[in-house]
């Protein structure tokens, strides 16, 4: 929208408060603040939702892989090496890791907690856990050493630290003439780790595969083969050639099937929050509409004088559309700045509110992640800005057309 020099001057004067027009300026300021808050809220919420999904995906997939081949009805896989070789030969598959996962119980001096025992080959164990170690030395976890690494949440629940011992109970022990005797093995805690997902940190006990096989009396079998691919979003297409080759040994399940309910719920919540907060921007647009209507009514005589001096209808239209768009653009800029600052200090804000209110706003046991995540998305931000600009533009149309249609003869006749 190209404005002439006179039009720019008039628009600038109307944006600033005149004598007796403080109320109009107040309404316009409130409109600007509403736009800023709406844009900031949308940017913050969408960034947090994107960050939550990305963090959850990275941590879940980082520990569980993009897909697994697991035995039918919970049976162990005997010919796991052949499956691993077939998987590695499939284009797009980057790794195939044999795993053992078994829910058991751990106890320490009367305390008992459900755990998820995970057995891994030594190289895979160190590659997966090393970057998450919080205390102790993962190098001490070696086959036959009776050393394990456990999650920080589990260590807290059991009241143990590095160097303490825990007893792991396997109900399916050896058969005796008097029935099945549970197998109880004592392990030393050599390291504690924090993945960042509450459910994992609260349950995982990680140890070498040989020790897990010995505890569970599995021989040389494994529970599953974990697969990683080059593109997680195309995991189904990449693993399609592998599925028929492993069907005799087990079923192939990818990350979408394993966590479908969780990620679908996140997507529904993301769309819902966008719609709800979009209504805030719509309300801000109505505020701009009302402030412009009030401005047009207050400046009716000025508009009539300008028309008699030669100002065209188009000039009046451009002036009042420029005023409304200026409020919207300034609000968008303030909203982007406010949202960026909030995202930068998001965890500090959460901690401060928790400290002042005594309420736990971010409970890891409910939210799954230990900290409030954030991942701003350029496309989302562009959509937010464009949507706000469109609503602001639509809000300026009626007042601008009303101003341009002012009849100077009718107005000045009664002035």
């Amino acid at each position: 929208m190209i404005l002439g020099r006179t039009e720019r001057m008039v628009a600038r004067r109307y944006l600033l408060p005149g004598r007796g027009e403080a109320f109009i300026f107040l309404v316009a300021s409130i409109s600007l603040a509403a736009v800023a808050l709406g844009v900031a809220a949308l940017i913050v919420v969408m960034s947090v939702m994107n960050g939550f999904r990305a963090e959850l995906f990275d941590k879940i997939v980082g520990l569980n892989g993009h897909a697994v081949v697991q035995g039918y009805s919970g049976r162990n896989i005997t010919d796991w090496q052949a499956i691993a070789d077939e998987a590695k030969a499939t284009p797009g598959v980057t790794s195939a890791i044999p795993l053992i996962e078994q829910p058991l119980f751990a106890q320490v001096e009367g305390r008992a907690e459900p755990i998820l025992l995970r057995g891994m080959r030594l190289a895979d164990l160190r590659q997966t856990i090393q970057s998450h170690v919080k205390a102790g030395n993962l190098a001490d976890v070696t086959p036959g050493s009776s050393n394990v690494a456990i999650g920080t949440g589990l260590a807290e629940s059991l009241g143990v630290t590095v160097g303490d011992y825990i007893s792991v109970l396997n109900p399916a022990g050896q058969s005796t003439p008097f029935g099945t005797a549970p197998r109880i093995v004592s392990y030393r805690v050599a390291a504690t780790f924090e993945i960042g997902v509450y459910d994992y940190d609260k349950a995982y006990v990680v140890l070498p595969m040989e020790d897990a096989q010995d505890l569970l009396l599995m021989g040389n079998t494994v529970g599953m083969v974990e697969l990683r691919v080059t593109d997680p979003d195309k995991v189904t297409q990449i693993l399609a050639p592998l599925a028929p080759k492993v069907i005799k040994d087990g079923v192939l399940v990818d990350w979408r099937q394993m966590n479908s309910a969780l990620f679908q719920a996140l997507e529904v919540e993301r769309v819902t929050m966008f719609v709800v907060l979009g209504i805030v921007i719509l309300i801000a647009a109505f505020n701009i509409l009302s402030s412009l209507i009030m401005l047009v009514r207050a400046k009716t005589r000025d508009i009539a004088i300008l028309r008699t001096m030669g100002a065209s209808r188009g000039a009046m239209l451009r002036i009042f559309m420029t005023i409304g768009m200026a409020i919207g653009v300034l609000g968008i800029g303030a909203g982007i700045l406010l949202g960026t600052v909030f995202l930068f200090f998001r965890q500090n804000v959460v901690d401060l509110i928790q400290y002042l209110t005594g309420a736990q706003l971010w409970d890891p046991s409910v939210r799954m992640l230990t900290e409030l995540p954030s991942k701003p998305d350029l496309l989302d931000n562009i959509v937010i800005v464009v949507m706000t600009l469109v609503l602001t533009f639509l809000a300026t149309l009626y007042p601008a057309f009303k101003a341009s249609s002012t009849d100077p003869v009718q107005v000045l006749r009664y002035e």
Side-chain angles (χ1 to χ4, degrees):
M1 187 183 301
I2 301 176
L3 299 178
R5 181 179 177 183
T6 303
E7 294 167 3
R8 287 197 303 271
M9 180 193 69
V10 173
R12 186 166 55 250
R13 286 177 64 90
Y14 284 179
L15 275 171
L16 299 175
R19 189 170 60 181
E21 298 167 355
F23 183 72
I24 298 175
F25 178 74
L26 176 62
V27 174
S29 300
I30 292 174
S31 302
L32 189 151
V35 172
L37 290 175
V39 170
L42 265 176
I43 289 175
V44 169
V45 169
M46 299 306 293
S47 298
V48 169
M49 292 300 298
N50 290 337
F52 191 85
R53 185 188 185 281
E55 285 286 320
L56 205 57
F57 177 81
D58 289 343
K59 293 181 184 300
I60 288 176
V61 171
L63 199 62
N64 293 327
H66 301 133
V68 296
V69 178
Q70 54 191 22
Y72 293 107
S73 302
R75 297 173 187 170
N76 296 329
I77 299 176
T78 304
D79 195 15
W80 59 268
Q81 188 61 56
I83 294 175
D85 293 339
E86 285 282 2
K88 290 177 182 178
T90 303
V93 177
T94 58
S95 68
I97 302 172
L99 291 177
I100 296 172
E101 272 196 359
Q102 183 68 34
L104 297 174
F105 279 92
Q107 58 183 16
V108 176
E109 298 179 355
R111 293 187 182 183
E113 291 287 338
I115 66 168
L116 192 60
L117 187 83
R118 168 171 279 223
M120 307 175 70
R121 292 181 300 190
L122 192 58
D124 300 328
L125 185 153
R126 290 178 178 171
Q127 183 178 4
T128 304
I129 303 297
Q130 184 63 59
S131 60
H132 303 287
V133 171
K134 292 296 181 182
N137 188 0
L138 197 63
D140 294 338
V141 181
T142 56
S145 65
S146 294
N147 288 333
V148 297
I150 69 175
T152 53
L154 179 60
E156 184 178 347
S157 298
L158 291 173
V160 297
T161 58
V162 173
D164 294 337
Y165 286 83
I166 62 173
S167 297
V168 178
L169 171 65
N170 176 18
Q174 294 179 329
S175 298
T176 69
F178 303 99
T180 302
R183 182 172 172 80
I184 302 176
V185 179
S186 180
Y187 294 99
R188 175 181 172 271
V189 178
T192 60
F193 60 86
E194 184 175 305
I195 300 297
V197 178
Y198 179 82
D199 289 348
Y200 294 165
D201 297 332
K202 185 76 168 59
Y204 265 110
V205 173
V206 182
L207 71 169
M209 181 180 293
E210 296 85 347
D211 293 350
Q213 290 171 333
D214 179 62
L215 171 65
L216 300 172
L217 305 175
M218 294 176 59
N220 193 35
T221 63
V222 299
M224 65 185 74
V225 178
E226 174 192 281
L227 307 176
R228 297 179 185 270
V229 298
T230 52
D231 188 350
D233 291 325
K234 297 180 180 179
V235 63
T236 304
Q237 299 92 308
I238 292 174
L239 296 179
L242 180 63
K245 300 177 183 178
V246 302
I247 195 169
K248 67 180 188 302
D249 296 302
V251 60
L252 183 61
V253 183
D254 63 43
W255 67 268
R256 287 194 180 92
Q257 296 167 305
M258 290 187 284
N259 305 283
S260 59
L262 174 62
F263 286 103
Q264 285 176 8
L266 286 176
E267 188 61 27
V268 170
E269 185 176 357
R270 180 175 179 272
V271 173
T272 303
M273 292 302 294
F274 185 89
V275 173
V276 170
L277 291 174
I279 295 175
V280 176
I281 296 180
L282 181 61
I283 294 172
F286 277 113
N287 285 338
I288 293 175
L289 172 64
S290 62
S291 64
L292 286 179
I293 290 175
M294 293 175 63
L295 181 62
V296 170
R297 289 183 63 86
K299 298 294 184 181
T300 300
R301 187 171 181 275
D302 292 358
I303 295 171
I305 293 173
L306 288 171
R307 290 295 312 280
T308 58
M309 293 174 64
S312 64
R313 291 178 181 270
M316 293 296 101
L317 188 71
R318 290 190 294 272
I319 287 171
F320 284 93
M321 288 181 67
T322 299
I323 295 170
M325 292 301 295
I327 295 173
V329 170
L330 290 173
I332 291 171
I336 293 173
L337 179 62
L338 181 61
T340 303
V341 172
F342 185 91
L343 288 174
F344 185 79
F345 295 103
R346 63 189 183 280
Q347 194 59 46
N348 304 82
V349 172
V350 171
D351 294 339
L352 177 62
I353 295 175
Q354 289 182 155
Y355 175 77
L356 294 176
T357 63
Q360 190 170 16
L361 301 180
W362 190 263
D363 187 354
S365 63
V366 176
R367 308 295 181 182
M368 299 185 69
L369 299 179
T370 54
E371 290 188 354
L372 181 66
S374 170
K375 184 181 180 182
D377 183 80
L378 179 61
L379 181 60
D380 284 345
N381 293 341
I382 291 175
V383 169
I384 292 169
V385 170
V386 170
M387 181 184 72
T388 307
L389 286 174
V390 169
L391 290 175
T392 302
F393 174 76
L394 293 176
T396 65
L397 291 180
Y398 175 74
F401 277 112
K402 190 71 175 175
S404 66
S405 61
T406 299
D407 186 353
V409 175
Q410 294 294 327
V411 173
L412 297 178
R413 176 182 297 175
Y414 301 102
E415 286 295 333

